[in-house]
Structure formats: structure tokens, C-alpha cells
Amino acid sequence: MQTHELVAHAAHPPLSIRRVEARILSMTDAWMRVRWRIDGPDKLVIPPFAGRGRADELWQTTCFELFIMPKDGTPAYSEFNMSPSERWAAYDFDDYRDGMRQRDFSREPDCVMRSGQSIAIFDAALPRVQLPGPPCAIGLCAVLEETGGVKSYWALTHTKDQPDFHDPACFTAGLARTRAA
């Protein structure tokens, strides 16, 4: 699967983070595995372990996000937020920021953060049965907090004066309909 370089929003530059990449590692009948790689994480704030469970407002600190919009002609999409704390959230929207509701998730995602001086890796595995199916457009994003409360907002692209991961123009990657491995 393709690696995507994310771009920091110009209005919110990072302190020491030099590069962020995201990629879908694999898609099987059971799991979708996604990885974010951060170069220069020495000032990265990693939320403390909180245990698995649903939580809102994860974007207030370091958080990794995935948006999925089925290519079925409707503006509906889903948002998945995952934190190094192991907390997560899943929402469905009827249209751009409209009709928000929690997405049912009977099996929790698996999230793992590994961090060193030069790179950090965040891996998430989401249960495939609970995700919209391909073909679809996707957005890969991250909110990265660094020391002093500095937040940078990373996405495939930014089209507005302020960060807006919900903007359909940010859903520039895609998932094709393929046979699962």
C-alpha cells in the first residue's frame, strides 16, 4: 500500500517535528492496519495510558485520525480517532460536519505507540467489519502536541485558512475494491 506524506497546516507549524507519514499497512477480512510515522518527536507530548475505551475530544492533544467516505454518491462519511492513551472514538456524519453520531463499534481498535529520539510510530488496527467498505476516499490526519502546548495539524492536504480534517478536499487517498487477503 502507498505511503502518504502529511503536510502541517501553515497556520500551526510544529516545533521539532520534521515529517509525518501515514499508510494503510494491510487490509484483511478481519482488520485494517494503519501506521503513522513521525520524524523528530523529541518534544512530542504523548498522552498517558488510560486503557481502552471510547472517549470524545481526543484531538485536544496528540491524536491520529482516519476519515472514510464511501464512493456511493452521498456526502456521508465516518471519522475514527485514536490516541496513544489507547482511547478511541468513531463517528458517522450525514454530510460535512452535519448529523454527527457515534458509530457502533462492538470490538475496540488496537493502538500501539512506540517512540524514540529520532522517530515515533503509531499503529492502529481497526476491525474491518465495522468500517465502511471500499471503494472509498480516505483522509489520513494527525494532531500532534509538543511541549508548551504547541499543536500542529497534519493532513494529506489543507485547503482552508484553519485546519479542517472534515473538509472532503482532504480525502485525497483512496481504497479500491479488492479481494481481502
Side-chain angles (χ1 to χ4, degrees), residues 103-125:
R103 183 175 184 84
D104 289 334
F105 241 66
S106 58
R107 184 169 184 182
E108 296 183 294
D110 288 327
C111 301
V112 176
M113 182 87 181
R114 297 180 305 279
S115 184
Q117 267 191 296
S118 62
I119 68 164
I121 302 287
F122 182 78
D123 285 327

Side-chain angles (χ1 to χ4, degrees), residues 4-5 7 9 13 25 40 57 69 72-73 95 100 106 108 111 114 123 126 131 140 147 151 174 176-177 181:
H4 302 277
E5 186 165 347
V7 178
H9 194 282
L25 293 175
E57 298 189 6
M69 178 182 277
D72 62 3
D95 202 340
M100 179 180 164
S106 58
E108 296 183 294
C111 301
R114 297 180 305 279
D123 285 327
L126 293 101
L131 301 176
L140 295 157
T147 54
K151 291 181 192 158
R177 188 182 313 262

Side-chain angles (χ1 to χ4, degrees), residues 16-35:
S16 66
I17 296 169
R18 296 180 307 277
R19 181 182 175 130
V20 177
E21 295 176 345
R23 74 180 295 183
I24 296 173
L25 293 175
S26 65
M27 294 271 292
T28 68
D29 288 338
W31 297 97
M32 172 192 236
R33 297 185 189 283
V34 187
R35 171 172 288 167

Side-chain angles (χ1 to χ4, degrees), residues 5-171:
E5 186 165 347
L6 303 186
V7 178
H9 194 282
H12 300 275
L15 288 176
S16 66
I17 296 169
R18 296 180 307 277
R19 181 182 175 130
V20 177
E21 295 176 345
R23 74 180 295 183
I24 296 173
L25 293 175
S26 65
M27 294 271 292
T28 68
D29 288 338
W31 297 97
M32 172 192 236
R33 297 185 189 283
V34 187
R35 171 172 288 167
W36 287 261
R37 177 192 162 129
I38 304 161
D39 292 343
D42 53 309
K43 296 181 181 177
L44 184 66
V45 173
I46 298 174
F49 174 77
R52 286 187 187 174
R54 191 182 286 262
D56 292 322
E57 298 189 6
L58 295 173
W59 53 269
Q60 296 283 353
T61 186
T62 298
C63 173
F64 300 87
E65 302 188 13
L66 170 69
F67 289 79
I68 302 178
M69 178 182 277
K71 291 184 178 179
D72 62 3
T74 69
Y77 63 98
S78 299
E79 173 185 3
F80 304 91
N81 302 329
M82 293 140 301
S83 169
S85 71
E86 292 194 16
R87 296 292 182 176
W88 59 273
Y91 308 101
D92 285 326
F93 292 83
D94 296 326
D95 202 340
Y96 173 74
R97 294 188 176 272
D98 185 52
M100 179 180 164
R101 63 196 169 281
Q102 288 193 356
R103 183 175 184 84
D104 289 334
F105 241 66
S106 58
R107 184 169 184 182
E108 296 183 294
D110 288 327
C111 301
V112 176
M113 182 87 181
R114 297 180 305 279
S115 184
Q117 267 191 296
S118 62
I119 68 164
I121 302 287
F122 182 78
D123 285 327
L126 293 101
R128 187 68 194 280
V129 70
Q130 294 165 207
L131 301 176
C136 54
I138 62 171
L140 295 157
C141 316
V143 175
L144 300 177
E145 182 177 0
E146 294 179 274
T147 54
V150 172
K151 291 181 192 158
S152 55
Y153 300 85
W154 298 77
L156 295 168
T157 189
H158 297 281
T159 61
K160 297 184 177 183
D161 291 340
Q162 291 299 315
D164 185 359
F165 297 160
H166 292 257
D167 181 357
C170 295
F171 305 173

